[in-house]
């Protein structure tokens, strides 16, 4: 049981990203390790649907694996066994009789509006390049709802100061234009001025978010920045760039924004993905109703 030929197939024929390849490889190797050492199943042909179900139970019993994580691992396994059928190594697919566990709907975690106001208190940010950059990152996340990958890839030419818009390249290389306000425009102006003086970019179209040495920030660095400042103002369980994206959408909806407009700004391909935020708004309405209605 090996995954080498499958990994080559993913890279050359499916052309999936390196991140996805590594995830597939890790999931499948973990599955094989469980088959061999826990169930003593030593060949690919000997794997049955019951074996897969036993593996699923072991994953669920491990508190570190959510239902969503288990289903992601099952997706990796399904792709692997489909490949084995395709090349003729197997004639029966043990995944055909395996049902994925149901995912309970979780409301997106978001930060309260009053806490976001505290987040942008000037005293939280040092008067240095890194301090100004961190403030710019947080303000941009909250003002536009962009994804982490979209923020990291922003170039100077993507920001139109006269039109008050920023151009981002989203999933599946879909480009979209997001508006922003005068406040963010002022922050951009100050940040770009400091950037030019301290970083001395080689070109006019430079990467906007960099370390003090001028190198583009990597995802973990931005995660640390976001968590550092959110730790100061909120106790929500998750404190990540995506939580600010959820916060952006929830606050827009709570303040009367049209769902289709939010969908366009977020770059969702389906309205169903945006509608999850209506649950948070409903929770707010329920809370207001209970407080305000005499017979609630």
């Amino acid at each position: 049981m090996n995954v080498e030929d499958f990994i080559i197939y993913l890279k050359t024929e499916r052309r999936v990203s390196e991140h996805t390849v590594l995830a597939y490889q890790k999931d499948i190797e973990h599955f094989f390790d469980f088959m061999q050492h826990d169930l003593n199943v030593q060949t690919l042909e000997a794997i049955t649907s019951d074996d897969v179900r036993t593996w699923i139970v072991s994953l669920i019993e491990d508190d570190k694996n959510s239902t969503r994580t288990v289903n992601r691992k099952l997706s990796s396994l399904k792709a692997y066994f489909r490949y084995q059928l395709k090349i003729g190594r197997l004639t029966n697919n043990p995944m055909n009789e395996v049902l994925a566990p149901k995912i309970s709907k979780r409301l997106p975690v978001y930060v309260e509006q009053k806490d976001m106001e505290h987040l942008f208190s000037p005293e939280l940010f040092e008067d240095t390049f890194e301090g100004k950059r961190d403030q710019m990152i947080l303000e941009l996340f909250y003002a536009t709802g962009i994804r982490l990958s979209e923020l990291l890839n922003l170039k100077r030419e993507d920001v139109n100061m006269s039109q008050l818009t920023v151009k981002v390249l989203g999933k599946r290389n879909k480009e979209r234009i997001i508006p922003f306000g005068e406040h963010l425009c002022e922050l951009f102006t100050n940040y770009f001025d400091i950037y030019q003086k301290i970083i001395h970019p080689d070109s006019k179209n430079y990467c906007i978010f960099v370390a003090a040495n001028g190198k583009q920030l990597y995802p973990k660095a931005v995660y640390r920045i976001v968590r550092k400042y959110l730790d100061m103002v909120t106790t929500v369980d998750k404190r990540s760039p995506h939580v600010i994206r959820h916060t952006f959408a929830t606050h827009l909806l709570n303040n009367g924004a049209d769902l289709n407009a939010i969908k366009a700004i977020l770059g969702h391909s389906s309205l169903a993905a945006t509608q999850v935020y209506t649950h948070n708004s409903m929770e707010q309405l329920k809370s207001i109703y209970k407080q305000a209605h005499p017979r609630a």
Side-chain angles (χ1 to χ4, degrees):
M1 291 188 282
N2 67 76
V3 298
E4 291 179 5
D5 53 348
F6 178 61
I7 295 304
I8 293 171
Y9 162 75
L10 290 177
K11 290 179 177 178
T12 58
E13 293 191 39
R14 291 280 300 279
R15 297 185 181 278
V16 300
S17 70
E18 189 65 29
H19 176 77
T20 303
V21 169
L22 289 173
Y24 273 118
Q25 186 171 2
K26 185 178 178 181
D27 292 340
I28 296 166
E29 286 177 348
H30 177 268
F31 172 74
F32 285 158
D33 184 68
F34 183 84
M35 289 295 108
Q36 293 173 330
H37 296 101
D38 290 69
L39 299 184
N40 196 30
V41 176
Q42 303 299 326
T43 65
L44 192 64
E45 295 79 7
I47 296 172
T48 66
S49 298
D50 284 340
D51 295 331
V52 179
R53 292 191 195 99
T54 303
W55 180 62
I56 293 172
V57 171
S58 75
L59 292 174
I60 293 173
E61 288 176 345
D62 184 346
D63 291 337
K64 293 180 181 178
N65 291 305
S66 65
T67 307
R68 194 176 298 275
T69 299
V70 173
N71 283 337
R72 194 212 72 223
K73 292 176 181 292
L74 282 176
S75 294
S76 300
L77 212 56
K78 286 177 181 177
Y80 176 79
F81 278 107
R82 282 198 300 268
Y83 169 73
Q84 300 304 327
L85 288 171
K86 178 180 178 180
I87 64 175
R89 187 171 292 165
L90 291 178
T91 55
N92 294 309
N93 188 348
M95 302 301 296
N96 286 342
E97 298 176 19
V98 175
L99 296 177
K102 290 184 178 180
I103 298 176
S104 57
K105 288 186 177 181
R106 289 186 306 174
L107 298 183
V109 175
Y110 70 97
V111 181
E112 295 289 346
Q113 198 162 324
K114 58 180 176 58
D115 293 331
M116 290 304 292
E117 290 170 3
H118 292 152
L119 179 64
F120 299 116
S121 301
E123 61 269 17
L124 291 186
F125 304 96
E126 295 180 2
D127 191 21
T128 61
F129 169 73
E130 288 90 343
K132 299 297 183 184
R133 177 205 62 201
D134 294 355
Q135 182 183 11
M136 191 73 245
I137 286 172
L138 292 165
E139 292 268 13
L140 186 59
F141 271 137
Y142 185 52
T144 63
I146 62 175
R147 302 178 178 95
L148 171 59
S149 59
E150 295 168 348
L151 177 134
L152 287 172
N153 292 318
L154 282 179
K155 301 289 192 300
R156 175 62 187 88
E157 69 173 10
D158 295 327
V159 180
N160 189 320
M161 304 290 274
S162 60
Q163 296 293 322
L164 298 181
T165 59
V166 59
K167 179 177 67 176
V168 300
L169 195 64
K171 290 183 176 181
R172 295 174 291 278
N173 290 325
K174 287 186 177 179
E175 187 181 285
R176 68 186 190 281
I177 306 295
I178 304 173
F180 57 81
E182 293 286 351
H183 172 68
L184 196 68
C185 182
E186 184 179 338
L187 288 174
F188 265 133
T189 301
N190 294 334
Y191 176 67
F192 290 147
D193 184 53
I194 294 169
Y195 190 116
Q196 293 281 353
K197 292 176 181 176
I198 295 178
I199 304 301
H200 305 295
D202 294 332
S203 68
K204 291 182 178 180
N205 186 29
Y206 48 81
C207 232
I208 292 178
F209 296 110
V210 298
N213 60 8
K215 292 185 178 180
Q216 183 181 11
L217 283 181
Y218 50 92
K220 283 187 178 180
V222 179
Y223 265 100
R224 284 199 293 267
I225 290 167
V226 170
R227 186 173 184 90
K228 170 186 172 182
Y229 291 98
L230 285 182
D231 278 345
M232 299 178 185
V233 300
T234 183
T235 57
V236 294
D237 292 338
K238 292 186 177 181
R239 296 180 285 281
S240 68
H242 217 72
V243 166
I244 303 183
R245 179 171 162 86
H246 291 324
T247 301
F248 164 83
T250 301
H251 290 180
L252 278 182
L253 198 59
N254 286 347
N255 286 286
D258 176 72
L259 198 61
N260 279 298
I262 298 173
K263 170 183 174 289
I265 293 173
L266 291 176
H268 285 162
S269 57
S270 166
L271 191 62
T274 317
Q275 283 176 328
V276 68
Y277 297 108
T278 62
H279 294 294
N280 282 334
S281 291
M282 183 54 67
E283 291 305 309
Q284 185 189 49
L285 288 174
K286 286 178 181 178
S287 176
I288 293 170
Y289 178 81
K290 286 179 180 178
Q291 292 174 18
H293 198 284
R295 295 180 66 85

